[in-house]
Amino acid sequence: MSDTRKTVILVDDEVTNLAIGKNALAGTYNVFTINSGMVLMNMLENVSPDLILLDLNMPGMNGFEVIKRLKANPKTAKIPVIFLTAMTDEAVELEGLSLGAIDFIHKPFSTPLLLKRLDVHLLVQDQTLELINFNDNLTQMVERKTHQVVELQNALLSTMAELVEYRDEITGGHIERTRDYIKALLDGMKVYGVYESEASGMNETYIMQSCQLHDVGKIAVSDSILFKPGKLTPEEFNDMKKHTTFGEKVILNIMKKTSESDFLEYARMFAAYHHEKWDGSGYPYGLKGEEIPLPGRMMAIADVYDALVTARPYKNAMSHEDALKIILDGCGTHFDPALINLIQKIHPIFRQIAFESVEKTDKLQRANDYIEV
């Protein structure tokens, strides 16, 4: 027990019992003596005892009525209560314990036994509070560590995504925009009930993180192909298509080294299937319809839309309206009809994402021009 003296309130309607109890306890505890349950309730407005010794048989408000009120009040519910009684009725003791009392002490009591019983119960109370504090601190520590791990994971993901973009400068901002398009699609699916069961079962945090790795396989594509300003030859295009299977292979290798599978499984599907087409004419596996995992079908739309509305060395940026027409025309061939139906409802969000990205790029370019001058 701590060096600080504990506070005990003794409640009994008999003056003699109060005097005996105080004499027994005063050498060890700070003791308040109270002659009724109502006085106790008033006193607890200003005093927070470590333990209450409560007589069972009192006029006006008996011990059972008092403990019910104590346990019903969050401010007093955790104060340990020990009943004092001259009765030896098993049913009475059972009822008292069921109401929240921690013990019964029979009168007349032995002073050494009373002190020992209080000492044990207060020690248990201290240890319980220490355990609660320890658990609270442990929970906070785990939450901090979890937050740090998530921050580290996000930083690594962002760095990997940036590495891909540094290698493919002509599509700067592509990863950030496609992530925002995927978010718009996922939100729209939930609002309009498109693939409702699948969408509700998706971990949005994992989806937003993992979709950034859809082009991670471009790390293996040669510079001569990646930076070519004109149209690729058939041979070059075949090499470019390998970024899907290489990206999948990279992620599968990571999956073998960790128990975290959900997040990486999303990443694998984004990397492997975002160039598959609804009619089976896509690559790398020629999957058809719903054989293509939903994340792949979602990224197919986001990826193509972004390619259309952004400028490349070999083409100008297309307007939102013209890009939207091409996307809609791909319904049932390139793209999932259900998702295309959704795009018709949410396409203004796509336009806003593209517009804000262009604005941000222009501001950065003007800032860079100013610095260079």
Side-chain angles (χ1 to χ4, degrees), residues 11-14 35-41 54-69:
V11 187
D12 198 306
D13 62 310
E14 293 288 341
N35 64 2
S36 76
M38 188 56 68
V39 175
L40 172 67
M41 292 303 164
L54 181 61
D55 185 28
L56 185 57
N57 295 312
M58 296 184 293
M61 186 187 300
N62 67 31
F64 287 162
E65 292 170 333
V66 171
I67 196 171
K68 287 177 182 177
R69 292 184 60 172

Side-chain angles (χ1 to χ4, degrees), residues 37 64 82 96 122 124 150 223 229 238 247 355:
F64 287 162
I82 296 177
L122 287 170
V124 170
V150 170
D223 290 350
N238 282 334
F355 174 77

Side-chain angles (χ1 to χ4, degrees), residues 14 68 86 99 163 265 318:
E14 293 288 341
K68 287 177 182 177
L99 290 174
L163 284 172
E265 179 58 18
M318 191 176 288

Side-chain angles (χ1 to χ4, degrees), residues 295-309:
R297 283 150 34 213
M298 294 165 67
M299 184 56 77
I301 295 173
D303 195 47
V304 171
Y305 175 83
D306 192 66
L308 294 172
V309 297

Side-chain angles (χ1 to χ4, degrees), residues 12-110:
D12 198 306
D13 62 310
E14 293 288 341
V15 176
T16 302
N17 290 335
L18 292 177
I20 294 172
K22 186 166 186 176
N23 288 335
L25 301 174
T28 307
Y29 304 106
N30 296 320
V31 183
F32 293 92
T33 55
I34 303 295
N35 64 2
S36 76
M38 188 56 68
V39 175
L40 172 67
M41 292 303 164
N42 293 331
M43 186 177 187
L44 290 175
E45 293 294 325
N46 301 305
V47 177
S48 297
D50 296 290
L51 186 143
I52 296 173
L53 287 168
L54 181 61
D55 185 28
L56 185 57
N57 295 312
M58 296 184 293
M61 186 187 300
N62 67 31
F64 287 162
E65 292 170 333
V66 171
I67 196 171
K68 287 177 182 177
R69 292 184 60 172
L70 291 174
K71 297 305 177 182
N73 185 345
K75 184 180 177 181
T76 58
K78 293 184 179 179
I79 300 173
V81 175
I82 296 177
F83 276 124
L84 299 175
T85 180
M87 294 188 296
T88 57
D89 188 327
E90 183 177 307
V92 170
E93 292 194 21
L94 183 59
E95 182 177 358
L97 294 171
S98 68
L99 290 174
I102 60 172
D103 202 354
F104 268 77
I105 294 178
H106 295 283
K107 298 188 289 186
F109 48 75
S110 157

Side-chain angles (χ1 to χ4, degrees), residues 162-189:
E162 287 169 3
L163 284 172
V164 175
E165 289 209 328
Y166 286 148
R167 288 218 62 231
D168 193 4
E169 293 177 355
I170 61 174
T171 60
H174 170 73
I175 290 174
E176 181 180 349
R177 289 189 300 273
T178 50
R179 182 192 63 208
D180 292 342
Y181 297 140
I182 292 294
K183 176 70 162 60
L185 281 168
L186 187 57
D187 289 345
M189 289 161 67

Side-chain angles (χ1 to χ4, degrees), residues 3 21 32 45 81 89 93 114 145 157 167 185 248 260 262 264 278 280 328 349 352 360 367:
D3 294 334
F32 293 92
E45 293 294 325
V81 175
D89 188 327
E93 292 194 21
L114 176 64
K145 290 296 183 183
L157 282 171
R167 288 218 62 231
L185 281 168
E248 181 180 30
E260 174 51 69
D262 291 344
L264 290 169
W278 186 258
L328 297 182
I349 301 174
Q352 184 65 24
K360 183 167 68 174

